[in-house]
Amino acid sequence: MQPSIAPRFNDRLLLAASATAPRWLAALVVGALLSAAPSAPSLAQNAPAAAAAPSAPAAMVQPGPQAVPGFWDPRRRPERPDLAKVTVIRFLTETDYPPFNFTGPDGNPAGFNVELARMLCEEIKATCTVQMRRFETLLDAIASNRGDAIIASLAVTAQTRARLDFTDPYYRAPARFASRKDGVLIEMRPELLEGKKVGAIAGSSHEAYLKALFTDAELRPYANDDALRAALRRGEVDFIFGDAISLAFWINGTDSENCCAFSGGPFIESRYFGEGIGIGVRKGNDLLRQALNWGLFRLWEKGRFTDLWLKYFSVSPF
């Protein structure tokens, strides 16, 4: 059984920022690509207010095919650096953020990030170690040369960029709407939610986005994820809006009681939902950063990134 998702991505944005106090997508990325089938939903649903009004009410649909994020443009292949100079990579990750990082049954590091790190070392042909540490200690560990690269779902923010250089993003945490299964919509546009009850976490970036763009919806704030999801399960709201990664695990888990599904596609507006997740290296370590970028592209190009994503995300956040 796959471990359940840990705290919301927004919490980790706040944690990363606060850690740098006492502790967008990168320019190389032309656009977010889907490496799934052409029929998969689009990633780009950034500006719902600009969409044209439908000529008829939106149709109900069942959940679509699995979508896999890809942030690599096949027309912009990274230049292969001198990999002979990259012989050892000491990856640092955190202790408890399933399914991205957790301790496996054998006591060793496991999870999406850990497997990705090991695949990168295979591709680069470098010796690889993965050490687990508390999340709040990771940046200091890199600064004191106790590791070479952080692969721990670390958000790329102004604060983290001040202390680290980052690879191109290898995933993002989009926002999505969820509804009860009998109320799934193909698209989520402001005019379709007029008068609808929409829940979000009070004070979150998701609530702020709804206030800015979905002004005709009836916004219902909730204190935490449990209360928000229970309101949807009981039918107290028509939709909820939140972190797509944690929602994907809830939808596919027992707590949802098979009540609900995603409505519409993902929202990836960086001002609200972050600039993406990259691998952090020590400032100025361009050789390692370039080697990891090259390795990430190769894994995506070979389909290995897609295979890894599907292993951990049976319901896609995208």
Side-chain angles (χ1 to χ4, degrees), residues 33-45:
L33 307 174
L34 283 178
S35 52
S39 59
S42 169
L43 278 177
Q45 196 167 343

Side-chain angles (χ1 to χ4, degrees), residues 43-257:
L43 278 177
Q45 196 167 343
N46 292 350
S55 57
M60 301 296 185
V61 295
Q62 295 302 314
Q66 170 69 294
V68 180
F71 298 102
W72 299 274
D73 187 336
R75 299 166 299 179
R76 295 181 64 99
R77 176 186 297 272
E79 184 176 347
R80 188 183 190 276
D82 186 357
L83 299 178
K85 295 180 179 179
V86 183
T87 57
V88 177
I89 305 175
R90 299 171 297 163
F91 279 104
L92 300 178
T93 192
E94 69 165 308
T95 55
D96 187 25
Y97 188 52
F100 294 99
N101 311 89
F102 56 92
T103 302
D106 59 359
N108 291 318
F112 176 86
N113 284 326
V114 174
E115 289 199 42
L116 181 60
R118 292 173 175 152
M119 289 165 57
L120 282 167
C121 287
E122 290 175 15
E123 196 65 41
I124 295 169
K125 295 181 170 51
T127 301
C128 182
T129 63
V130 181
Q131 180 187 149
M132 302 181 81
R133 305 178 64 92
R134 295 195 316 277
F135 182 75
E136 64 272 15
T137 69
L138 292 173
L139 277 75
D140 287 338
I142 284 285
S144 58
N145 198 30
R146 284 174 281 175
D148 301 309
I150 297 174
I151 186 164
S153 296
L154 183 60
V156 182
T157 67
Q159 292 86 357
T160 54
R161 280 197 303 265
R163 297 186 63 180
L164 298 169
D165 287 339
F166 283 92
T167 65
D168 298 338
Y170 61 95
Y171 81 87
R172 299 183 70 179
R176 289 190 74 172
F177 287 93
S179 66
R180 293 185 61 83
K181 285 187 173 180
D182 58 2
V184 172
L185 299 180
I186 297 173
E187 295 180 275
M188 300 300 291
R189 300 198 302 270
E191 61 270 25
L192 299 178
L193 270 64
E194 182 178 356
K196 298 292 186 180
K197 300 180 182 68
V198 182
I201 300 296
S204 68
S205 59
H206 302 97
E207 182 188 48
Y209 191 76
L210 292 174
K211 287 180 176 179
L213 292 171
F214 288 80
T215 55
D216 293 326
E218 184 181 325
L219 183 57
R220 298 282 183 91
Y222 291 88
N224 53 53
D225 283 318
D226 289 341
L228 178 68
R229 295 165 186 173
L232 180 62
R233 193 172 58 239
R234 294 193 295 261
E236 296 171 6
V237 292
D238 301 299
F239 302 95
I240 60 175
F241 187 61
D243 168 47
I245 291 180
S246 58
L247 279 174
F249 281 89
W250 175 71
I251 286 170
N252 199 44
T254 57
D255 288 349
S256 69
E257 300 176 3

